């Protein structure tokens, strides 16, 4: 499956001619898309779990595109947004970009400018999804550790030697060495440095027995 085939571009615009034009252009370059006349239609749709982005008209019946951007964020729907508008201004553009929009295009815009923004948005979403997937896997590994193994891991990533960890936990150095080995195996860490990076991604405190 190619990256283009695995991706989906959503379009929300109340003008059917604009929706048709954008969808036709996307189809010509091998990008899949779904179009909607209102944000409500988009929210009711079943969206595939893959890299995606949203082309969103700023002025829509009953709702402002910038307001909908905030609603999506509040609902935990993290999707890169490309705004399009026939009535844009600098203040509106700045507000959209500060809220995380990928691009703000004023109609009429060049097809290539929209395509460039779409590819940037899809790449951003692909990276975000990959990082989230990796984090979910790391959390699963961490959850497989026993309470004592988590304590050992916390102290080890703080820079303590095995004998120092043993003293802190009131156990033997041999026991700590075994438990440390369990931690490395379960976390699938090849080195202490890698274990430290994993802990940073999980935002774990070091040097704590909690």
């Amino acid at each position: 499956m190619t990256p283009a085939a695995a991706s989906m571009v959503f379009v929300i615009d109340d003008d059917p001619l604009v929706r048709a034009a954008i969808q036709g252009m996307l189809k010509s370059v091998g990008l899949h898309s779904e179009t909607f006349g209102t944000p409500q239609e988009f929210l009711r749709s079943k969206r595939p779990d893959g890299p995606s982005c949203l082309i969103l008209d700023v002025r829509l019946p009953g709702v402002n595109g910038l307001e909908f951007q905030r609603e999506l964020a509040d609902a935990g729907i993290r999707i890169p947004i490309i705004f399009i508008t026939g009535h844009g201004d600098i203040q509106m553009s700045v507000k959209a970009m500060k809220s995380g929009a990928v691009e703000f295009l004023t109609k009429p815009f060049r097809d290539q400018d929209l395509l460039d923004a779409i590819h940037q948005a899809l790449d951003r979403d692909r990276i975000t999804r990959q990082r989230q997937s990796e984090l979910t896997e790391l959390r699963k590994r961490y959850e497989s550790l026993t309470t004592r193994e988590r304590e050992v891991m916390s102290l080890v990533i703080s820079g303590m030697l095995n004998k120092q960890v043993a003293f802190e936990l009131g156990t033997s150095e041999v026991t700590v060495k075994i438990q440390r080995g369990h931690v490395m195996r379960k976390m699938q860490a090849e080195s202490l440095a890698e274990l430290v990076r994993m802990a940073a991604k999980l935002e774990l405190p070091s040097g704590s027995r909690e």
Side-chain angles (χ1 to χ4, degrees), residues 19-195:
R19 296 199 302 270
I22 292 176
Q23 191 164 39
M25 184 267 291
L26 295 174
K27 185 177 181 180
S28 72
V29 296
L31 283 168
H32 295 282
S33 64
E34 289 184 17
T35 65
F36 308 91
T38 67
Q40 290 72 30
E41 290 177 18
F42 170 74
L43 290 175
R44 288 195 298 266
S45 69
K46 183 175 176 60
R47 296 178 294 278
D49 185 20
S52 61
C53 69
L54 174 61
I55 299 173
L56 179 62
D57 191 7
V58 172
R59 298 185 186 275
L60 295 163
V63 65
N64 179 286
L66 296 176
E67 294 172 355
F68 186 58
Q69 178 188 33
R70 186 172 61 252
E71 288 177 18
L72 288 175
D74 290 344
I77 301 175
R78 308 294 177 184
I79 182 171
I81 296 175
I82 300 162
F83 280 103
I84 57 175
T85 181
H87 314 278
D89 56 44
I90 293 177
Q91 184 178 0
M92 190 181 294
S93 173
V94 169
K95 185 176 180 181
M97 300 300 281
K98 279 187 175 181
S99 297
V102 175
E103 187 58 274
F104 192 98
L105 299 173
T106 303
K107 302 173 184 176
F109 46 78
R110 296 190 313 130
D111 286 354
Q112 190 58 52
D113 289 338
L114 180 57
L115 282 174
D116 288 345
I118 288 171
H119 287 303
Q120 180 183 346
L122 291 176
D123 285 344
R124 178 190 293 186
D125 197 44
R126 198 172 286 113
I127 291 170
T128 298
R129 286 171 177 274
Q130 178 64 30
R131 287 176 178 168
Q132 188 59 48
S133 176
E134 291 173 355
L135 186 57
T136 298
E137 174 60 27
L138 274 182
R139 285 189 179 128
K140 287 181 181 178
R141 296 178 196 172
Y142 184 71
E143 288 168 3
S144 74
L145 300 180
T146 65
T147 300
R148 178 47 62 93
E149 286 167 353
R150 293 182 189 184
E151 290 176 340
V152 169
M153 176 175 170
S154 180
L155 296 172
V156 165
I157 62 174
S158 73
M160 285 189 180
L161 300 174
N162 288 349
K163 61 182 179 181
Q164 294 172 314
V165 175
F167 179 79
E168 178 73 18
L169 298 180
T171 187
S172 71
E173 187 175 345
V174 172
T175 298
V176 168
K177 187 174 181 180
I178 292 172
Q179 291 167 337
R180 180 170 177 166
H182 290 166
V183 170
M184 298 296 284
R185 177 177 55 80
K186 290 182 179 181
M187 293 300 294
Q188 298 179 30
E190 298 294 331
S191 65
L192 175 58
E194 187 176 3
L195 189 67

